[in-house]
Amino acid sequence: MYVLDTNVLIHDPNALLNFEEHDVIIPMTVLEELDSLKSGKQAVAADCRQAIRNIDKLLGDASPGEIEKGVAIVRGKKAQPLGTLSILMSTEYQGNHGLPEHLNDNKIINTLAALQARHKSRDIILVSKDINMRLKARGFGVEAQDYHNDMLLDDIDLLPKGYKEFPNSFWDTIEKVETIQREGITEHILRREGDLAKLTINEFVIDQQGFVGKVSEVSEQQIVIRDLHQHDLMNEEVWGLVPRDIYQAIALNLLLDPDIHLVNLTGSAGSGKTILALAACIEMTVASKIYKRIIATRSTQGLDEDIGFLPGTEAEKMEPWLGAIVDNLEALHEDDENMTASVDYILSKVPLHFKSMNYIRGRSFQHSLIIIDESQNLTPHQIKTIITRAGNGSKVICLGNLAQIDTPYLSALSSGLTYMTERFKSFRHGGHIHLQGVPRSVLAEYAEANL
C-alpha cells in the first residue's frame, strides 16, 4: 500500500497513475489540505485542482463502501484495471505513544501507524517529497520513501553535458570515415559504435587538438558529424560579446541556430548562462530580426504568488526579480561612454518584456524568444506549462544551476530542468550545454575553491 502525501500530488497531479499494480491510498487529511490550497491563480492552486479532478475521475460513481475497500484504477478505455485507489479516514493511533495531532503531518503518520497495526502482513509505505516528514515517519516506525517517478536518472552526474570530450585527437579513435562537402559544409559519416553510439542529435564532439564537431544526423548504423571550425566559433561576436572558452562558443552556436527551438544551459555561478542568452537574444531581435520580442521570466519562491496591487506596471514589479537580466545588459555595455544611457536605449529599442508566471499561463507567444531564468526551481509539471506557451516560430531558453535549488520538495534529480534536459536529449530541434565555471573575479575564484 502506497500512501501519498499532499506534496506528491502537488508536485505531480498524475502521480496516482504511477504505482502500477499496487494499492494507492489518499488520507482524508490530504484531501483537506488540497481543498484549502485549491483557490487562487497560483501554480500550486492549479496543481491542487488538477489532482482533485484526477481523484474524482478515478473514483467515478463508486459507493462509499467501494471507496473504502479500493476502486480499480483504469488508465484507458481499453486498458485492464491495474491497482486500486482508496480514501483513508483519519483514525487515532491506539498504541502507547502517538504524535500530537495539532499538525496535519502528525495526523497522517498516526493514521498510517493505525493502518499498519490492522494490516500487519502488508507493506505500507508513505510517499512524501518532504524530507522531515519522512524522517518523522521512520522514527515512528512507518516506512517512508521519496517520490521517484519524476527522477529519470539515478545520479545527477549521468545527466548529459551536451558534448563529448576526447583526450588528444578524436580521429585516433576512428577507423573508417567518409567525408562529404556541400555548400561550404563539411560532414563526416561514421559508424555508430563505441563512444559514438552514446552520442545524440545536436551533441558536440571536442578534442584537445582543436577539432569541434556537431552531430547532425543519427541512425541505427551510422552518425553524421558536421565539422565546425574552432577559430570561427571562438571569434563569433554577438552584440559585442566574444566567448571566453569553447563551451561558451558551442552554447552560442545552439542559441543562434534558427533550427533549434529549445536550448537548456546549465552551469555554476559565473559560467555565463544569462549573458550568453541575453546577447544572442538581442542579436536575433535587433540585428537579424528573426524574432519579434524577448520574454523573460523566472521562478523563485513566491514568484507565482500575486504580484500585488501597489502602483506600477507588471514590468516594474517584475524588475527586482529579474535583476540578473539588467545586470547582464549593463555588462554588455560596460565599455560604452555612458553605460546607463546605453542600457536605457536598449531597453527602449529591444522588445524585452518581463513577465510573471501568473500571466504566462494560458497565453501563446508567437515569434518570441522566451528566457526562463532560474529554471532549476521549476517542477517538471510547471516547466511543461511554460514551454507549451511557445507558439509558431518561438524559441525557449532554459537557464539554471542545479546546485542552487531553493524550492521545497525539489532536488537536482527531480528538477524540471533535469527533466527537460533528459527528455529532450533526442529532440532534433533541441540542445543542451553544461557550461564550465568561468570565475567572475579573483575573489569569486578563491571563494569557490575555499568556502
Side-chain angles (χ1 to χ4, degrees):
M1 298 179 179
Y2 285 102
V3 182
L4 305 192
D5 194 7
T6 312
N7 49 61
V8 173
L9 293 171
I10 293 174
H11 182 80
D12 181 6
N14 297 314
L16 300 164
L17 305 174
N18 295 329
F19 290 88
E20 298 179 346
E21 76 276 10
H22 304 290
D23 297 332
V24 178
I25 299 173
I26 309 293
M28 187 63 70
T29 306
V30 169
L31 287 180
E32 292 171 352
E33 287 187 332
L34 289 175
D35 185 58
S36 65
L37 295 170
K38 71 181 181 182
S39 301
K41 297 180 180 179
Q42 300 89 351
V44 168
D47 292 336
C48 286
R49 293 192 293 270
Q50 182 61 46
I52 292 169
R53 284 193 291 267
N54 288 345
I55 295 171
D56 178 63
K57 181 180 178 182
L58 290 174
L59 293 179
D61 56 358
S63 66
E66 291 171 334
I67 292 174
E68 184 179 359
K69 184 180 178 181
V71 177
I73 297 176
V74 180
R75 291 167 174 79
K77 291 182 179 179
K78 297 183 180 180
Q80 291 294 321
L82 191 65
T84 65
L85 173 65
S86 59
I87 306 297
L88 178 63
M89 289 297 297
S90 299
T91 55
E92 293 186 4
Y93 178 57
Q94 301 299 322
N96 295 329
H97 303 285
L99 294 176
E101 298 213 345
H102 64 291
L103 298 175
N104 283 341
D105 285 358
N106 292 353
K107 291 180 183 178
I108 294 172
I109 294 172
N110 285 340
T111 300
L112 262 64
L115 184 67
Q116 198 171 54
R118 293 202 309 270
H119 301 278
K120 294 182 180 179
S121 62
R122 300 289 303 274
D123 290 328
I124 298 170
I125 302 169
L126 171 66
V127 182
S128 176
K129 298 295 296 179
D130 188 339
I131 297 175
N132 197 59
M133 173 78 159
R134 299 200 300 267
L135 291 173
K136 287 168 67 175
R138 288 172 187 158
F140 197 64
V142 176
E143 187 177 349
Q145 296 179 1
D146 194 0
Y147 178 64
H148 295 291
N149 190 265
D150 58 337
M151 299 180 187
L152 303 178
L153 301 168
D154 295 325
D155 189 341
I156 197 64
D157 291 334
L158 298 175
L159 191 69
K161 293 183 177 180
Y163 49 84
K164 174 70 175 175
E165 294 183 273
F166 288 83
N168 300 317
S169 174
F170 164 71
W171 296 109
D172 290 344
T173 65
I174 303 301
E175 295 181 359
K176 184 179 179 181
V177 58
E178 179 185 349
T179 300
I180 57 174
Q181 289 186 329
R182 58 173 182 269
E183 299 177 357
I185 296 173
T186 302
E187 291 185 325
H188 308 288
I189 303 174
L190 310 168
R191 291 183 62 183
R192 195 181 181 199
E193 57 186 7
D195 289 334
L196 299 184
K198 300 176 183 177
L199 293 177
T200 56
I201 193 78
N202 296 323
E203 198 167 359
F204 291 83
V205 172
I206 304 170
D207 71 10
Q208 295 179 346
Q209 302 297 319
F211 173 73
V212 182
K214 179 181 178 183
V215 178
S216 57
E217 295 288 342
V218 176
S219 66
E220 291 186 6
Q221 301 296 329
Q222 63 184 26
I223 189 169
V224 179
I225 296 179
R226 180 174 299 172
D227 201 326
L228 304 176
H229 299 289
Q230 184 171 356
H231 179 269
D232 294 340
L233 290 173
M234 293 298 296
N235 288 279
E236 177 86 48
E237 184 173 329
V238 180
W239 204 252
L241 182 73
V242 177
R244 296 176 64 177
D245 59 26
I246 189 60
Y247 310 106
Q248 291 190 354
I250 58 179
L252 274 178
N253 181 272
L254 286 179
L255 289 167
L256 296 171
D257 190 337
D259 292 327
I260 301 295
H261 305 318
L262 173 68
V263 179
N264 296 327
L265 297 184
T266 59
S268 60
S271 56
K273 302 182 294 294
T274 308
I275 198 167
L276 287 170
L278 189 60
C281 288
I282 295 174
E283 182 77 20
M284 291 186 288
T285 50
V286 177
S288 59
K289 298 186 184 298
I290 299 174
Y291 300 93
K292 293 181 179 179
R293 57 182 172 175
I294 305 168
I295 296 167
T297 187
R298 68 176 284 178
S299 176
T300 64
Q301 252 181 298
L303 179 59
D304 60 345
E305 303 294 332
D306 200 310
I307 60 174
F309 299 98
L310 293 174
T313 63
E314 180 189 358
E316 290 170 341
K317 291 178 180 181
M318 287 299 298
E319 191 169 335
W321 292 103
L322 292 159
I325 302 293
V326 179
D327 292 344
N328 282 283
L329 266 178
E330 293 176 353
L332 286 171
H333 294 273
E334 62 184 358
D335 294 330
D336 292 5
E337 185 175 342
N338 189 330
M339 180 186 70
T340 304
S342 295
V343 171
D344 291 341
Y345 175 78
I346 291 298
L347 287 173
S348 65
K349 291 295 183 183
V350 175
L352 175 59
H353 306 288
F354 295 157
K355 295 292 181 184
S356 166
M357 284 177 61
N358 271 347
Y359 297 94
I360 284 181
R361 185 181 292 272
R363 297 187 64 181
S364 180
F365 300 110
Q366 312 292 331
H367 303 287
S368 303
L369 289 159
I370 305 171
I371 302 175
I372 310 173
D373 201 10
E374 302 293 337
S375 58
Q376 77 275 4
N377 288 318
L378 291 165
T379 68
H381 184 67
Q382 289 170 334
I383 206 166
K384 178 183 175 182
T385 301
I386 298 176
I387 287 178
T388 51
R389 300 303 95 215
N392 184 42
S394 289
K395 184 176 209 163
V396 177
I397 303 169
C398 300
L399 314 174
N401 180 4
L402 290 168
Q404 292 184 347
I405 294 179
D406 306 314
T407 304
Y409 314 139
L410 266 188
S411 66
L413 288 172
S414 61
S415 167
L417 181 57
T418 302
Y419 186 84
M420 292 300 299
T421 301
E422 181 65 17
R423 278 292 174 93
F424 279 77
K425 65 182 180 183
S426 299
F427 179 47
R428 170 168 289 279
H429 301 289
H432 162 67
I433 296 295
H434 178 74
L435 296 169
Q436 306 292 331
V438 181
R440 294 180 173 125
S441 66
V442 176
L443 171 62
E445 184 177 12
Y446 186 84
E448 191 77 28
N450 295 280
L451 294 183

